[in-house]
Amino acid sequence: MGTHDAEAIAPETCPTANGMPMLGLGTWQNDDPEQCAESVRTALEMGYRHIDTAQAYDNEEAVGEGIAAADIDRDEIFLATKIWISNLAHDDILETARASLDRLGVDYVDLLYVHWPAGEYDAEGTLSALSELYEEGLIENVGVSNFRPEDLEVAVDVCDAPIFANQVELHPLLPQEAIREACDNYDVEVVGYSPLARGQVFNQPEIKEVAAKHDASEAQVSLAWAREKGVTTIPKATGEDHIGDNWESLTVDLDREDLNTIDAIDETNRAVDPDFAPWN
């Protein structure tokens, strides 16, 4: 399958979770402004309708340029960004969220995340500010990221607005069962970042085996596996080939045997593990 096939896959074939397209474009480390804008434009014109960025990625402006360059109505795009840990005090959120909207060139974002429960994070102060932005209509949904089950429990309890999603590293080498179960209990969507384990899935024998069976790429199989688990993924890709290959994962249907094969991987590998992470 080539990227020409990818362009034939209509946006509406992408399943949604509470209105959020379950396959999005991640932009972490896509910090060349021209390339970032082009990646976003390419993805949107191919059919993607979910774009994920963050203050810390230093590319919100380029993401906004890509959105503006694509001939897609803003209300068809699910746009998410994240507040960095140094900006999580109540007033800083109100100020820097507006700055993010300005950089993105939009009136609202569909989802605004707390990037990590770290730094200036204070459950009540932080989440009350997000609730204010939600009430004002500057954000459609409140999200958290890198929250353990116990962090999520507190957030759900203190936030006036519903917690819509928890974005965590999630892939066949880090399936995050406990977090998925907690999110399920609290009616919170799971968004998986680094869904290809920073390329480690390409060398995994079990994934190679399933990919060969489906005449698919290891990336497509990993994304299809997450989707079967009810997880939304936001793989980062910059070139048209990779953006297209990931989009074509929507045509890959795994059966129970495939899922069992992948679930049996007993290697665990966490790729994103900063000192300030709540589990450290």
Side-chain angles (χ1 to χ4, degrees), residues 4-257:
H4 297 298
D5 300 292
E7 285 163 8
I9 301 171
E12 47 275 15
T13 61
C14 182
T16 57
N18 269 334
M20 172 177 61
M22 290 185 73
L23 178 61
L25 179 75
T27 61
W28 185 54
Q29 291 182 329
N30 193 350
D31 46 17
D32 172 330
E34 210 166 291
Q35 182 191 54
C36 180
E38 184 58 21
S39 304
V40 170
R41 185 189 67 78
T42 299
L44 288 170
E45 292 185 350
M46 193 177 286
Y48 284 77
R49 293 293 179 266
H50 179 173
I51 307 289
D52 181 273
T53 182
Q55 292 176 345
Y57 303 170
D58 207 19
N59 63 9
E60 287 175 319
E61 202 166 322
V63 167
E65 284 167 15
I67 289 171
D71 190 21
I72 308 293
D73 287 348
R74 165 69 187 97
D75 61 8
E76 285 183 32
I77 300 168
F78 189 95
L79 176 61
T81 191
K82 311 177 197 78
I83 304 267
W84 186 240
I85 63 174
S86 54
N87 297 331
L88 290 172
H90 180 280
D91 292 357
D92 292 341
I93 287 181
L94 299 180
E95 187 181 326
T96 66
R98 286 176 165 81
S100 285
L101 293 180
D102 286 346
R103 284 190 292 270
L104 288 161
V106 296
D107 299 327
Y108 69 96
V109 289
D110 297 86
L111 179 53
L112 184 64
Y113 293 99
V114 174
H115 205 148
W116 291 84
E120 299 301 312
Y121 178 71
D122 162 70
E124 296 198 356
T126 298
L127 294 166
S128 65
L130 287 170
S131 295
E132 285 175 42
L133 293 168
Y134 173 79
E135 288 299 325
E136 276 186 69
L138 295 180
I139 67 176
E140 293 281 308
N141 296 285
V142 173
V144 295
S145 183
N146 300 297
F147 276 44
R148 300 167 300 175
E150 55 268 42
D151 306 314
L152 183 63
E153 183 181 7
V154 172
V156 167
D157 191 41
V158 307
C159 192
D160 290 336
I163 301 286
F164 178 82
N166 184 15
Q167 183 180 128
V168 294
E169 179 182 348
L170 197 152
H171 45 72
L173 303 177
L174 192 68
Q176 298 278 30
E177 285 103 337
I179 285 177
R180 293 199 333 253
E181 189 180 336
C183 288
D184 204 34
N185 290 341
Y186 295 117
D187 206 18
V188 170
E189 294 300 332
V190 182
V191 178
Y193 69 77
S194 298
L196 309 180
R198 305 281 190 83
Q200 291 175 72
V201 297
F202 299 112
N203 309 317
Q204 210 60 37
E206 296 88 344
I207 293 173
K208 283 180 175 296
E209 178 193 323
V210 175
K213 170 180 159 182
H214 288 273
D215 192 22
S217 68
E218 291 86 355
Q220 289 168 352
V221 164
S222 300
L223 296 172
W225 167 85
R227 193 167 61 247
E228 288 291 339
K229 304 281 182 192
V231 173
T232 295
T233 53
I234 45 165
K236 178 207 152 192
T238 51
E240 184 176 356
D241 285 357
H242 283 152
I243 293 170
D245 188 68
N246 292 342
W247 186 240
E248 285 172 23
S249 70
L250 295 172
T251 65
V252 177
D253 285 317
L254 303 182
D255 58 32
R256 172 49 51 199
E257 185 188 12

